[in-house]
Amino acid sequence: MRTVALAGVLLVSAACGSQQTAKSVEPARDSGVRTGQVKNIVIDEGVAPDSLRVQAGDEVRWLNHRQRPVVVEVAESLEGKVSCRNGFSKALSMGIDNSTTLDANESAGLCFSRLGTFRYSVRSEGSDDPQPLRKTQGTITVD
């Protein structure tokens, strides 16, 4: 019985890894609730919507519908401000990068755990893009 209980604890610890969850962030910075909703920002001729309101714990996902790569960049450091990330990791998953490059039809996402407004920008990967983006900046407000 002890072996089964120990295995369960190890499994839960391994599953959580080094990613912070909304519950593991200090309450002063975090609402502590994960809603699980996914909110998409579509990148095509511009970004839509360019202003997004989410609950703490919702995943904000950027979808590149262009034929060329784009760079998505959040204006500030994400350390201690997100509870999940997909595509925003630094090398060897050591920390969180505030930018990512998305190839055509790729996506990346973040679950913001800190309340506030976060600015982001999207730009073409190369300077030779024949159809540059029109609207390239936006905000995410976390309630």
Side-chain angles (χ1 to χ4, degrees), residues 50-122:
D50 60 355
S51 179
L52 187 62
R53 185 172 293 277
V54 301
Q55 299 296 310
D58 287 351
E59 181 179 355
V60 176
R61 193 176 295 163
W62 287 266
L63 310 168
N64 183 12
H65 286 188
R66 296 173 58 83
Q67 297 303 310
R68 302 181 66 96
V70 297
V71 175
V72 176
E73 183 173 20
V74 179
E76 61 186 88
S77 169
L78 295 171
E79 294 293 335
K81 298 173 187 167
V82 296
S83 60
C84 76
R85 64 190 187 274
N86 177 20
F88 282 85
S89 296
K90 290 183 180 177
L92 302 173
S93 295
M94 302 299 288
I96 305 169
D97 198 344
N98 70 327
S99 67
T100 188
T101 300
L102 300 176
D103 287 328
N105 300 311
E106 282 189 337
S107 66
L110 296 168
C111 301
F112 290 90
S113 59
R114 191 170 195 181
L115 306 180
T117 300
F118 299 87
R119 293 177 298 117
Y120 70 89
S121 63
V122 179

